[in-house]
């Protein structure tokens, strides 16, 4: 299939050191590299993907070499002017849980970085720490290109970096300032917990790990949809993802889109970034949010199947995987 889209992907390309739960050490440049390359493979040669990031001067040549392998990726908006970029160490405790240390800090992506990209068909915003994307940048993009959807990963605003370099979860306190400029909001259950602080949670509750379950998701999703978000997507690891959106009658729909089963998980690093690529692709190419979530699940599953970017497939192969998992029907269970 011939796709002709221009997509900007905003976020860091950190120099990652990953220690797997099996004790293996993997070094690579991650985060939006997963999103960019996943979209590159899906959209094909007639589309153009523009990664927007800041990096250290010592890391930029290696990233350019990686992205140069993909003819539809224009990496001219990855700059090293400030000589600042993310450097992160991820130590996995088990297949999904990890301890994180950050020793390098990317300077924020501002209006200046995206002024030449106001004609894109979509913007995929994938920060990993709270300071990487300026709110004014999203506001600028929506003011100049209201029709292009903004797909936003809540991983960034719900994660902070301490003075000791520890990466910890935090409440997204100014959430409602961001929501009017977001069309598709993606997160996992832990991040959702950081988004739905409420008066019922008193100080005594915050002194411990207060209870947050899937039953808390519908009121949170309804709040986001009322603020202008079109689709809320919450990943549930092996279960798949829950999506929330308004139907033609203005009523909220909630659907579970089951995960794509994989028998052998090799590396889960970058699954969320890859999921965002599939979600963006589905939103761009289909008016069906369930189908978009299916593509997201497929790319998240593919990411687990190796340590390199070779895990990503072109549209034809990806579509075969989606149909094998969900059938020709676009309905979720």
């Amino acid at each position: 299939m011939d796709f002709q889209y221009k997509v900007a992907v905003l976020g860091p390309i950190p120099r990652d050191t990953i220690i797997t739960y099996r004790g293996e050490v993997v070094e690579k440049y991650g985060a939006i590299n997963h999103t960019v390359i996943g979209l590159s493979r899906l959209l094909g040669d007639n589309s153009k993907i523009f990664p927007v990031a800041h990096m250290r001067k010592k890391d930029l040549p290696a990233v350019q070499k990686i992205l140069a392998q993909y003819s539809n990726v224009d990496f001219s908006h990855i700059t090293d002017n400030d000589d600042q970029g993310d450097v992160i160490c991820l130590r996995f405790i088990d297949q999904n849980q990890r301890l994180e240390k950050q020793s390098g800090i990317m300077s924020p992506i501002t209006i200046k970085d995206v002024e030449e990209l106001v004609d894109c068909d979509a913007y995929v915003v994938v920060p990993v720490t709270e300071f990487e994307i300026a709110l004014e940048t999203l506001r600028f993009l929506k003011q100049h290109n209201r029709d292009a959807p903004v797909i936003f990963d809540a991983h960034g605003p719900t994660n902070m970096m301490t003075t000791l370099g520890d990466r910890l979860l935090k409440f997204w306190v100014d959430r409602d300032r961001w929501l009017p400029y977001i069309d598709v909001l993606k997160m996992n259950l832990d991040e959702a917990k950081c988004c739905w602080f409420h008066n019922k949670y008193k100080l005594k509750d915050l002194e411990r790990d207060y209870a947050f379950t899937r039953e808390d998701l519908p009121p949170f999703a309804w709040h986001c949809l009322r603020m202008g978000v079109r689709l809320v997507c919450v990943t549930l690891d092996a279960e798949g993802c829950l999506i929330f959106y308004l139907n033609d009658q203005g009523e909220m729909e909630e659907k579970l889109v089951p995960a794509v089963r994989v028998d052998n998980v090799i590396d889960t690093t970058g699954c969320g970034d890859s999921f965002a690529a599939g979600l963006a692709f589905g939103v761009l190419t289909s008016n069906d949010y369930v189908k978009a979530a299916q593509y997201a699940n497929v790319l998240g599953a593919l990411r687990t199947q190796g340590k390199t970017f070779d895990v990503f497939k072109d549209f034809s192969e990806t579509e075969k995987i989606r149909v094998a998992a969900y059938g020709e029907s676009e309905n979720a269970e």
Side-chain angles (χ1 to χ4, degrees):
M1 188 173 292
D2 184 22
F3 299 108
Q4 294 183 332
Y5 293 106
K6 291 178 65 175
V7 182
V9 183
L10 286 62
I13 306 177
R15 185 185 183 100
D16 286 335
T17 298
I18 302 151
I19 304 170
T20 72
Y21 70 99
R22 295 189 179 102
E24 303 163 304
V25 178
V26 180
E27 292 187 348
K28 63 181 178 181
Y29 293 95
I32 70 165
N33 259 7
H34 301 285
T35 316
V36 169
I37 295 171
L39 278 170
S40 168
R41 296 285 283 135
L42 280 173
L43 289 173
D45 292 337
N46 292 315
S47 291
K48 207 73 174 178
I49 299 95
F50 299 87
V52 182
H54 298 149
M55 301 202 67
R56 302 185 304 174
K57 293 183 182 298
K58 64 190 295 184
D59 293 324
L60 182 57
V63 169
Q64 290 174 329
K65 184 176 180 180
I66 293 168
L67 295 179
Q69 301 173 62
Y70 305 91
S71 61
N72 58 355
V73 174
D74 181 330
F75 49 80
S76 60
H77 294 272
I78 303 176
T79 65
D80 62 1
N81 299 335
D82 298 327
D83 197 15
Q84 287 184 227
D86 285 2
V87 180
I88 298 175
C89 179
L90 308 172
R91 183 184 295 273
F92 280 82
I93 301 170
D94 56 32
Q95 188 169 292
N96 294 306
Q97 298 186 57
R98 64 198 188 194
L99 300 175
E100 304 185 15
K101 281 277 192 179
Q102 185 164 349
S103 56
I105 302 173
M106 185 186 86
S107 52
I109 294 172
T110 65
I111 293 173
K112 182 179 179 181
D113 296 304
V114 298
E115 285 177 326
E116 298 176 359
L117 298 173
V118 292
D119 62 340
C120 285
D121 297 294
Y123 301 95
V124 191
V125 185
V126 194
V128 302
T129 319
E130 60 179 332
F131 50 75
E132 290 159 344
I133 307 291
L135 174 58
E136 308 89 75
T137 306
L138 287 196
R139 185 183 294 120
F140 173 84
L141 290 173
K142 293 305 287 184
Q143 287 173 344
H144 287 78
N145 191 351
R146 186 166 296 277
D147 294 333
V150 170
I151 297 91
F152 188 87
D153 194 328
H155 186 63
T158 58
N159 278 265
M160 63 172 286
M161 174 185 172
T162 72
T163 55
L164 297 177
D166 294 310
R167 290 173 46 79
L168 304 173
L169 287 172
K170 59 173 283 291
F171 282 122
W172 188 6
V173 178
D174 61 344
R175 173 202 63 213
D176 288 355
R177 296 185 63 210
W178 291 74
L179 292 182
Y181 309 105
I182 295 171
D183 297 286
V184 178
L185 180 61
K186 168 212 167 288
M187 69 197 69
N188 62 31
L189 198 57
D190 286 335
E191 292 155 0
K193 173 180 177 176
C194 297
C195 295
W196 192 229
F197 46 89
H198 195 273
N199 288 339
K200 72 176 182 177
Y201 300 124
K202 307 300 182 184
L203 180 60
K204 62 181 177 63
D205 297 308
L206 300 182
E207 290 173 348
R208 62 181 185 276
D209 194 20
Y210 70 80
F212 182 91
T213 66
R214 279 170 54 172
E215 284 65 42
D216 289 291
L217 289 176
F220 164 61
W222 175 246
H223 174 82
C224 295
L225 296 173
R226 287 192 304 141
M227 292 290 293
V229 178
R230 290 159 45 191
L231 173 66
V232 178
C233 182
V234 182
T235 59
L236 303 171
D237 293 329
E239 291 184 67
C241 62
L242 273 174
I243 60 173
F244 302 85
Y245 57 93
L246 298 180
N247 61 24
D248 293 338
Q249 290 72 46
E251 301 166 334
M252 186 173 75
E253 297 275 354
E254 173 184 343
K255 292 188 178 180
L256 172 66
V257 184
V260 174
R261 180 180 174 182
V262 293
D263 293 324
N264 182 30
V265 174
I266 297 172
D267 182 11
T268 59
T269 311
C271 283
D273 307 310
S274 306
F275 185 97
L279 195 60
F281 173 81
V283 169
L284 264 177
T285 60
S286 169
N287 292 321
D288 188 329
Y289 289 143
V290 173
K291 191 173 183 180
Q294 291 174 353
Y295 282 119
N297 281 342
V298 171
L299 260 72
L302 287 174
R303 175 61 272 168
T304 70
Q305 296 304 286
K307 300 175 184 177
T308 71
F309 298 112
D310 293 337
V311 295
F312 297 118
K313 312 297 182 186
D314 63 16
F315 170 73
S316 178
E317 291 183 85
T318 303
E319 180 67 359
K320 289 178 183 178
I321 297 170
R322 187 190 71 82
V323 171
Y326 300 107
E328 295 290 348
S329 169
E330 298 173 356
N331 294 323
E333 292 181 358

